[in-house]
């Protein structure tokens, strides 16, 4: 009787039996973990669709800051010929950006602009930048 069963059929049967066994073990011992995971995923997908995710606003804000830094690096700093021109361009771009006045954002902008101005040898002082940020 065992001569009529090929190795391929035997391995398929063994694989099916193992899948069924481990499926039952998973259902028996990990059902609550799995259902909690599904509920959490469903809730995050739903809140993401509604735009109320807990990190959605912060991620959007950081994306806007990143876009602003990229614009400063690609458009403002390379075109400035002197320090006064750089300050004027920065002032106008910061006024148009309408970013909230948060200390974290100010710190990021301040350090990035200071480094970018040093690269172009248009060294702006921290006080000049703080004055410009207070105006914006």
């Amino acid at each position: 009787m065992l001569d009529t069963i090929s190795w391929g059929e035997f391995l398929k049967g063994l694989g099916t039996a193992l899948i069924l066994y481990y499926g039952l073990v998973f259902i028996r011992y990990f059902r609550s973990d799995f259902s909690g995971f599904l509920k959490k995923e469903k809730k995050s997908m739903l809140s993401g669709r509604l735009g109320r995710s807990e990190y959605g606003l912060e991620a959007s804000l950081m994306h806007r800051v990143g876009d602003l830094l990229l614009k400063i690096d690609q458009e403002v700093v390379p075109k400035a010929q002197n320090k006064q021109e750089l300050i004027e361009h920065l002032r106008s771009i910061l006024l148009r950006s309408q970013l909230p006045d948060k200390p974290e954002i100010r710190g990021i902008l301040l350090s990035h602009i200071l480094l970018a101005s040093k690269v172009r040898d248009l060294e702006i002082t921290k006080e000049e930048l703080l004055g410009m940020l207070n105006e914006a």
Side-chain angles (χ1 to χ4, degrees):
M1 181 172 151
L2 292 177
D3 291 338
T4 60
I5 298 175
S6 69
W7 279 104
E9 291 173 345
F10 172 73
L11 291 176
K12 285 180 189 176
L14 183 64
T16 304
L18 285 173
I19 289 172
L20 289 174
Y21 172 75
Y22 282 110
L24 290 172
V25 168
F26 183 79
I27 289 170
R28 169 73 172 101
Y29 294 105
F30 299 104
R31 183 184 321 176
S32 62
D33 294 338
F34 187 66
S35 65
F37 175 74
L38 286 179
K39 286 179 185 175
K40 183 178 174 185
E41 284 294 315
K42 187 176 181 182
K43 183 186 271 186
S44 69
M45 285 175 51
L46 182 62
S47 65
R49 279 192 206 147
L50 297 175
R52 293 187 209 142
S53 70
E54 54 193 70
Y55 301 109
L57 296 175
E58 286 296 319
S60 173
L61 180 61
M62 284 297 123
H63 184 71
R64 286 177 39 209
V65 170
D67 288 345
L68 178 64
L69 294 178
L70 188 63
K71 191 177 231 182
I72 289 171
D73 285 345
Q74 292 178 347
E75 296 176 13
V76 176
V77 175
K79 292 179 182 177
Q81 300 298 319
N82 56 31
K83 182 166 58 169
Q84 190 60 33
E85 193 175 315
L86 177 63
I87 290 174
E88 289 173 15
H89 288 304
L90 286 172
R91 183 176 290 125
S92 69
I93 199 169
L94 288 174
L95 285 173
R96 284 184 278 142
S97 69
Q98 297 178 345
L99 289 173
D101 190 21
K102 290 187 172 184
E104 303 88 22
I105 295 174
R106 285 177 147 243
I108 291 170
L109 288 172
L110 188 69
S111 61
H112 187 82
I113 293 170
L114 284 173
L115 286 173
S117 68
K118 279 185 181 180
V119 168
R120 291 273 304 172
D121 293 328
L122 302 169
E123 295 193 27
I124 300 175
T125 64
K126 188 175 182 178
E127 291 75 26
E128 290 172 326
L129 275 178
L130 286 173
M132 181 186 58
L133 288 173
N134 287 336
E135 291 174 12

